[in-house]
Amino acid sequence: MSAPPTTARRGPSAATVASAAVLCLLELGAAFGAYSALAMRPDGPWDDDVLLAVEIAAYLAIGLALPALGLTVLAVRRNWLRAWWFVLPALLLAVAVARLIHIDQAYPLHRV
């Protein structure tokens, strides 16, 4: 009797590792921007410096989450990554947009 043939399990492909590494870097930067946007609390509508910093941090998160979503679409369509990789960039994008909307609603510009 001969032993049944075994299929050797291969490791992840280079494309999987590369896309995961780039996504992790993009998502880390987007998470920093989203956290910074949420952590800063303006004292009031007159606190222009903090309001500007919140907007910059939120736009940073959006600017890094959008390419991460694009790369995730490519990687999932090519079967390099699984679909759950969409969760984090979509969540970070939603948090950043929600913070921008909140800042716009809570601290409207005073026009003379």
Side-chain angles (χ1 to χ4, degrees):
M1 292 220 145
S2 65
T6 59
T7 57
R9 183 168 171 100
R10 296 184 334 186
S13 69
T16 299
V17 172
S19 58
V22 171
L23 276 174
C24 286
L25 290 174
L26 286 172
E27 291 169 2
L28 186 65
F32 172 74
Y35 173 76
S36 297
L38 289 173
M40 290 184 266
R41 303 274 185 232
D43 290 332
W46 62 88
D47 199 355
D48 291 335
D49 294 335
V50 175
L51 290 170
L52 179 64
V54 168
E55 288 181 1
I56 290 171
Y59 283 122
L60 172 71
I62 291 169
L64 292 173
L66 283 175
L69 275 173
L71 180 59
T72 304
V73 168
L74 174 71
V76 168
R77 284 189 181 221
R78 298 210 178 218
N79 291 324
W80 296 338
L81 298 174
R82 309 257 177 181
W84 64 265
W85 279 82
F86 282 113
V87 173
L88 189 57
L91 179 68
L92 292 170
L93 182 64
V95 166
V97 169
R99 182 61 170 159
L100 281 175
I101 291 171
H102 172 261
I103 288 295
D104 187 46
Q105 297 296 318
Y107 304 100
L109 293 175
H110 294 286
R111 301 190 191 267
V112 179

